[in-house]
Amino acid sequence: MNEKEIAELRRRFRPDRSSITHIRGCFVNESREIVSQFDQSMGMLGQDDAELILATIRRTLSGTLGKNLVDIEFATAQVVDGDEHKLLMVLRDSALKHEDTVQALFQRVIASLDIEGNYLILLARDAYDVPYRSQDGEKQADASSESFSYILCSICPVKLTKPALSYAAERSEFSHLKVDWVVSPPELGFLFPAFDDRSTNLYGALYYTKDVTESHKDFIDAIFRTEPPMPAAAQKETFQSLLGETLADECSYEVVQAVQGELCGMIAVHKESKEPEPLVLNKGAVRRVLSSCGVSKERADIFEVQFDDSFGEETELSPRNLVDTKQIEVRTPDVKIQISPDRGDLLETRVIDGAKYILIRADEGVEVNGVNIKIK
């Protein structure tokens, strides 16, 4: 799925646009026991309550594509005769009314998930009459190309509020605000099936995780029976280690800065182009970046081999997962320096009288503990 397709579905989550008639769910305590279950009719809720529920589950379609939102692909054998795919299909086709299947999903989630404290499992089913779009992109609201039926599952932590002091203006008095349970934004979840090319793709799903350092491997295996993708934070750490190990003595500040500049430039150009498909790079594209930044052929060859071992031969990576587009960070055991990516020229490395130095040009506005100082 791409950003436009995700945004199109996100706009559905309003009471006047959604065809979600009810929300199924259960409350799970810290002992991994189902305390209560519910089947909440959306029509019986007030406007404010309905908007809050839809806004909460809509967060399962938020975040950065490739980091928080990851495409899941089913193998053909799974679609034809896989228990996990069959379960998801029954949930969708029965509009969450097949009780045994709903309970089976609850148990799979609970058995595979390791979240501290209490949480809610929320299930919604929507049917979207996809408006037809002409070749020039114009939407024709009165013409529908197909109906896209899907389910959305959201796992939301439930936490106690902190004690607080409240003031009642009508009584002109202070009082203790009652501690209560509050539903937090989703920690993880998924959409099934995928909405690819604005159409139903039964071979795909969209997985959401709030924490880009955590993939919830057991959860993905239980629901999709597939190998989880490497978390975005792990991709960045692996790429950084790969550069340092394979480039060896060629891994200078200038080379690393140049690589970041090239990748950030690609991200900026892609954003300006408004291309809906996500930007991804294979190992060949990354190798070309390294070569353009002055890395020798020998070291680039070593990088390619190690790339296969670290990520997989056919893996494509999002540049957003490999570099920080907001800053360059230089660390020593005792010092941390942060520089804007477009001002990497302010820093250079030198060896003076046998000692290694990091030099930063500081023409004006230098402060130490908030105090302006003069450099003489």
Side-chain angles (χ1 to χ4, degrees):
M1 292 179 62
N2 61 43
E3 292 180 355
K4 284 188 176 181
E5 292 159 350
I6 294 170
E8 185 172 351
L9 292 184
R10 278 176 55 84
R11 290 192 288 270
R12 296 276 304 157
F13 289 84
R14 285 174 42 183
D16 59 335
R17 293 185 178 181
S18 171
S19 65
I20 297 174
T21 59
H22 63 121
I23 300 289
R24 299 267 339 228
C26 66
F27 179 86
V28 183
N29 66 16
E30 58 187 7
S31 299
R32 301 299 171 259
E33 301 167 333
I34 295 179
V35 176
S36 63
Q37 298 193 38
F38 53 89
D39 189 345
Q40 178 70 61
S41 169
M42 296 295 285
M44 300 296 290
L45 294 174
Q47 178 80 7
D48 291 344
D49 291 338
E51 287 182 351
L52 282 173
I53 289 178
L54 291 176
T56 298
I57 61 176
R58 183 180 64 208
R59 297 284 288 271
T60 313
L61 298 177
S62 63
T64 303
L65 194 60
K67 285 189 175 182
N68 308 97
L69 296 167
V70 181
D71 286 319
I72 297 291
E73 294 184 6
F74 291 100
T76 300
Q78 290 180 287
V79 176
V80 174
D81 195 31
D83 289 341
E84 58 285 336
H85 193 273
K86 181 179 179 181
L87 183 145
L88 297 175
M89 287 294 292
V90 173
L91 286 172
R92 185 196 74 150
D93 295 342
S94 68
L96 306 180
K97 294 179 181 178
H98 194 282
E99 192 62 31
D100 289 346
T101 309
V102 171
Q103 297 304 319
L105 180 71
F106 288 163
Q107 293 303 323
R108 287 192 184 193
V109 172
I110 294 169
S112 63
L113 205 54
D114 186 18
I115 293 182
E116 291 185 3
N118 308 320
Y119 60 87
L120 286 178
I121 304 174
L122 301 177
L123 283 173
R125 192 261 194 184
D126 187 24
Y128 175 33
D129 290 330
V130 184
Y132 174 77
R133 289 186 189 274
S134 58
Q135 291 185 352
D136 59 3
E138 288 296 320
K139 182 170 70 173
Q140 300 177 19
D142 57 345
S144 176
S145 57
E146 74 164 280
S147 179
F148 173 60
S149 298
Y150 63 95
I151 58 172
L152 190 71
C153 177
S154 306
I155 316 297
C156 302
V158 179
K159 301 177 181 179
L160 274 174
T161 58
K162 295 181 179 180
L165 188 64
S166 175
Y167 178 71
E170 65 278 5
R171 300 193 303 272
S172 299
E173 63 181 29
F174 292 97
S175 62
H176 181 267
L177 191 64
K178 182 182 177 181
V179 175
D180 207 349
W181 294 101
V182 175
V183 179
S184 301
E187 193 71 25
L188 71 157
F190 66 89
L191 173 141
F192 173 84
F195 187 52
D196 290 330
D197 296 325
R198 306 185 67 244
S199 185
T200 302
N201 176 13
L202 297 178
Y203 286 79
L206 187 69
Y207 168 69
Y208 167 78
T209 177
K210 181 180 178 182
D211 184 357
V212 298
T213 67
E214 176 60 72
S215 65
H216 298 284
K217 180 178 180 179
D218 291 340
F219 175 85
I220 291 178
D221 182 62
I223 303 302
F224 307 116
R225 200 66 65 191
T226 186
E227 189 68 24
M230 183 184 291
Q235 290 182 29
K236 182 179 180 181
E237 183 178 342
T238 302
F239 180 71
Q240 292 170 339
S241 298
L242 201 57
L243 281 182
E245 293 171 4
T246 60
L247 302 192
D249 56 352
E250 292 185 23
C251 192
S252 64
Y253 168 76
E254 290 75 18
V255 168
V256 173
Q257 179 201 358
V259 170
Q260 171 155 342
E262 287 283 331
L263 296 179
C264 288
M266 290 180 177
I267 295 170
V269 170
H270 182 266
K271 183 177 181 180
E272 291 175 3
S273 71
K274 301 188 183 299
E275 170 63 40
E277 295 302 321
L279 174 63
V280 292
L281 303 175
N282 57 25
K283 65 177 179 181
V286 179
R287 181 199 173 104
R288 288 191 290 274
V289 169
L290 296 180
S291 298
S292 69
C293 295
V295 175
S296 68
K297 181 181 181 302
E298 178 188 0
R299 290 298 171 185
D301 288 341
I302 297 173
F303 177 88
E304 272 200 283
V305 173
Q306 294 299 322
F307 182 98
D308 290 345
D309 293 340
S310 299
F311 295 108
E313 187 174 351
E314 303 298 328
T315 301
E316 294 182 326
L317 302 174
S318 169
R320 294 178 181 274
N321 295 351
L322 306 182
V323 295
D324 189 337
T325 59
K326 297 181 179 179
Q327 67 180 19
I328 297 173
E329 183 176 279
V330 181
R331 282 179 178 266
T332 74
D334 302 306
V335 178
K336 182 173 73 172
I337 304 167
Q338 295 177 332
I339 313 167
S340 175
D342 58 351
R343 293 314 313 269
D345 60 298
L346 293 177
L347 186 148
E348 61 180 290
T349 57
R350 286 191 191 177
V351 177
I352 304 175
D353 297 332
K356 300 174 183 177
Y357 290 89
I358 297 172
L359 304 182
I360 305 172
R361 192 170 76 246
D363 297 326
E364 58 184 359
V366 181
E367 295 184 359
V368 176
N369 292 336
V371 179
N372 283 308
I373 65 167
K374 306 297 181 183
I375 299 176
K376 297 182 179 179

